[in-house]
Amino acid sequence: MKRKSPHVTSAAAGGDESVIYKVPAALALLILVLTALRRLHHYYATLDGFTTLRPLLRVAAISFAVLFAISLVGLLLTRRRLFGYCTACFGLLAATCALLYVGWLEYTLQIYLMHVLVYVLYMIWQLYRMEFTLFSLMTVFAGMVFYLLSRGIHANVRTILPCVLLAAVLLVCGALALLCERGKGALRLGTFRLVLFPASFSPVILCFTCVLWLLVLLACLVFGPTCAFYCMFAAIALELVGAVYYTFQLK
């Protein structure tokens, strides 16, 4: 299937000067959040911190999960950007509180990676919009999972859950790309229609990325942590190649 010439829209290229402020603000906020998480983990590691925070984390996780569901419904019904920001924010907070409540400090690394992934994808979306954002979601998430697998592969939640989540993300992104090709850049579900790509969008690159990381994930599970370690660098390399490619395609 011949790859059509892509038309990648960028906030910066499209004349939206607010991206000049949004991207640095997101980077600064990421640094502040990681610093706050580091201090929270230090306090939570103490006996007083554990006794004080653990009951609060359960209430916070449930509350943020409810707010996440409300924001998601509002986003689907109104398609307003504010609900999108609220959905991402409450989802992050709910997942963070839940992981801290369930695993104490066991999932500290996963929490850090989760926040980095969301903020980095937001900055990419501001600069490149949807196609490179989905490409980066699959590639960066795959690199993070390969990093976790390189630390050891065992039949437990710490290994199984990231692999299941990665497979789910890859399949959803691949299916979304195919559905949007049929809808000429728009996702159509009954009367629901959401424009995500230009009308000339082709799903070749996204589908190739989806299949590639599924196969690599399988190889990591078969050949072990050493394979996962090298595959992590392959993900970094592909993300850099994608960044160069999509930068040249900006219009």
Side-chain angles (χ1 to χ4, degrees):
M1 183 177 180
K2 187 177 179 180
R3 164 78 175 169
K4 297 179 182 178
S5 177
H7 300 278
V8 182
T9 17
S10 164
D16 183 4
E17 296 183 358
S18 65
V19 71
I20 299 174
Y21 309 102
K22 289 179 179 179
V23 172
L27 180 59
L29 184 58
L30 173 61
I31 294 173
L32 289 175
V33 168
L34 293 179
T35 302
L37 284 173
R38 184 170 177 270
R39 293 185 177 181
L40 176 65
H41 289 154
H42 280 312
Y43 178 63
Y44 195 38
T46 65
L47 180 59
D48 289 341
F50 179 81
T51 305
T52 304
L53 291 180
R54 196 165 192 272
L56 298 177
L57 287 171
R58 180 180 181 182
V59 176
I62 296 173
S63 301
F64 286 132
V66 172
L67 292 173
F68 167 76
I70 295 173
S71 300
L72 182 59
V73 172
L75 176 63
L76 295 176
L77 293 178
T78 66
R79 305 176 195 175
R80 292 188 177 181
R81 188 169 297 181
L82 176 61
F83 283 108
Y85 291 148
C86 291
T87 301
C89 178
F90 291 136
L92 266 178
L93 290 172
T96 300
C97 293
L99 288 174
L100 288 173
Y101 175 78
V102 172
W104 191 34
L105 301 179
E106 183 179 0
Y107 301 111
T108 298
L109 177 60
Q110 287 83 344
I111 291 173
Y112 282 127
L113 293 178
M114 178 176 62
H115 281 268
V116 170
L117 176 65
V118 171
Y119 281 92
V120 168
L121 288 176
Y122 172 77
M123 289 184 279
I124 290 174
W125 180 76
Q126 285 292 331
L127 293 170
Y128 296 91
R129 296 308 184 191
M130 188 54 67
E131 185 172 356
F132 186 44
T133 301
L134 290 182
F135 175 89
S136 297
L137 171 60
M138 292 187 285
T139 303
V140 175
F141 193 17
M144 290 180 173
V145 172
F146 298 152
Y147 170 69
L148 294 175
L149 294 179
S150 70
R151 297 163 62 90
I153 298 177
H154 309 284
N156 55 25
V157 176
R158 296 184 65 179
T159 295
I160 297 173
L161 184 58
C163 294
V164 171
L165 289 176
L166 175 58
V169 166
L170 293 174
L171 293 174
V172 168
C173 289
L176 183 63
L178 293 174
L179 289 173
C180 287
E181 183 196 26
R182 294 181 182 179
K184 295 184 178 179
L187 176 64
R188 301 173 185 270
L189 298 172
T191 58
F192 179 82
R193 182 176 182 272
L194 180 63
V195 178
L196 298 175
F197 303 98
S200 59
F201 167 71
S202 171
V204 172
I205 290 180
L206 294 182
C207 289
F208 169 79
T209 306
C210 171
V211 174
L212 172 66
W213 295 132
L214 282 174
L215 293 176
V216 173
L217 175 62
L218 180 61
C220 291
L221 295 176
V222 172
F223 296 107
T226 302
C227 177
F229 178 77
Y230 290 109
C231 290
M232 174 185 66
F233 290 102
I236 295 173
L238 186 61
E239 179 66 15
L240 293 176
V241 171
V244 173
Y245 173 77
Y246 283 102
T247 298
F248 278 108
Q249 299 301 326
L250 291 176
K251 290 183 179 290

